[in-house]
């Protein structure tokens, strides 16, 4: 579910319920309601507030996973791959070589969401049975390749929906671009290289 839908359906729904219960409490108090009735309404109010807080917390973690901020990109990618693997019937493998460059927080977050979009696109659309992600890091840059046995034309197909423009936009923000090639083994490789700010592409 996208953020706008969650805000409208889940968060707004919970807050409307809280507002309604607040009105009921004021009405009951003005008509001399007993403590038991008020306690039931307060319990319901508390439950709806907690639900709204939980939804907002989950939305925040989806947009900025705590592991990304605390432990860095490598740990966040490992967590992401485990999460996607639970929804993917095929094989999803992650290889990490080296420590990530010292990306600032915004750059790291954008790169994480770019990788999330690429992997989910592979799993959903590329008719794959296996995906292998390899990250090769140096102090100046991070090279990422995503190999899969899907079809390379899906990376330029018009039916890609909003996924491909979003991926391309994130690449532009990082000063990079995706390269899609057909491998000798008959699979497809999606590659990108992201430089540490201040480094110059060679």
């Amino acid at each position: 579910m996208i953020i706008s839908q969650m805000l409208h359906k889940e968060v707004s729904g919970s807050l409307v319920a809280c507002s309604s219960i607040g009105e009921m409490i004021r009405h009951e108090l003005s008509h001399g309601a007993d403590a038991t009735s008020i306690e039931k309404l307060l319990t319901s109010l508390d439950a709806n507030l907690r639900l709204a807080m939980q939804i907002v917390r989950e939305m925040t973690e989806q947009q900025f996973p705590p592991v990304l901020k605390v432990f860095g990109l490598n740990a966040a990618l490992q967590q992401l791959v485990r999460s996607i693997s639970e929804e993917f019937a095929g094989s999803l493998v992650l290889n990490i070589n080296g420590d990530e460059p010292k990306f600032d927080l915004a750059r790291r977050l954008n790169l994480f969401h770019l990788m999330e979009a690429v992997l989910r696109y592979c799993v959903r659309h590329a008719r794959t049975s296996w995906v292998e992600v390899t990250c090769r890091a140096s102090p100046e840059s991070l090279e990422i390749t995503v190999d899969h046995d899907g079809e390379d034309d899906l990376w330029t197909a018009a039916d890609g929906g909003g996924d491909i423009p979003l991926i391309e936009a994130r690449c532009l923000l990082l000063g990079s671009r995706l390269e899609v090639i057909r491998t000798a083994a008959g699979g497809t490789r999606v590659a990108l290289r992201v430089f540490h700010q201040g480094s110059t592409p060679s």
Side-chain angles (χ1 to χ4, degrees):
M1 184 180 294
I2 62 176
I3 296 176
S4 59
Q5 290 176 322
M6 291 186 70
L7 287 171
H8 176 71
K9 182 178 179 180
E10 304 292 344
V11 178
S12 295
S14 296
L15 294 179
V16 167
C18 290
S19 177
S20 298
I21 295 170
E23 289 296 329
M24 291 172 64
I25 291 173
R26 281 190 286 271
H27 179 270
E28 291 294 311
L29 287 173
S30 67
H31 288 76
D34 57 33
T36 300
S37 299
I38 299 301
E39 183 178 357
K40 288 181 179 179
L41 289 171
L42 287 173
T43 299
S44 180
L45 177 62
D46 180 70
N48 278 277
L49 283 172
R50 289 178 182 274
L51 176 60
M53 291 170 60
Q54 179 63 30
I55 295 169
V56 171
R57 186 179 297 113
E58 290 174 358
M59 290 172 58
T60 302
E61 290 182 358
Q62 288 175 10
Q63 296 305 303
F64 201 155
V67 66
L68 181 67
K69 183 176 182 179
V70 178
F71 298 108
L73 184 64
N74 289 351
L77 288 178
Q78 291 171 6
Q79 185 181 74
L80 173 64
V81 166
R82 285 195 298 270
S83 174
I84 295 177
S85 294
E86 294 176 357
E87 308 165 6
F88 181 43
S91 170
L92 178 55
V93 177
L94 172 66
N95 304 305
I96 297 177
N97 301 309
D99 297 325
E100 69 175 277
K102 295 186 181 299
F103 293 130
D104 61 49
L105 210 52
R107 198 166 178 80
R108 182 189 296 171
L109 180 61
N110 192 27
L111 181 53
F112 172 79
H113 283 303
L114 169 61
M115 290 304 302
E116 181 180 31
V118 168
L119 292 180
R120 293 194 183 280
Y121 184 75
C122 284
V123 170
R124 288 200 313 265
H125 297 287
R127 294 188 289 276
T128 56
S129 63
W130 60 265
V131 179
E132 183 171 359
V133 185
T134 302
C135 302
R136 299 180 180 89
S138 70
E140 294 79 25
S141 66
L142 179 65
E143 287 187 57
I144 300 173
T145 58
V146 180
D147 293 287
H148 62 82
D149 61 348
E151 298 180 5
D152 55 347
D153 62 348
L154 288 173
W155 290 95
T156 56
D159 62 357
D163 290 326
I164 293 177
L166 176 60
I167 290 170
E168 291 176 342
R170 289 197 178 278
C171 285
L172 287 175
L173 288 173
L174 290 166
S176 182
R177 65 185 181 88
L178 287 184
E179 295 184 13
V180 181
I181 59 174
R182 199 69 177 166
T183 65
T188 299
R189 168 167 292 182
V190 182
L192 71 152
R193 188 177 187 187
V194 180
F195 287 88
H196 177 267
Q197 285 180 315
S199 299
T200 303
S202 56

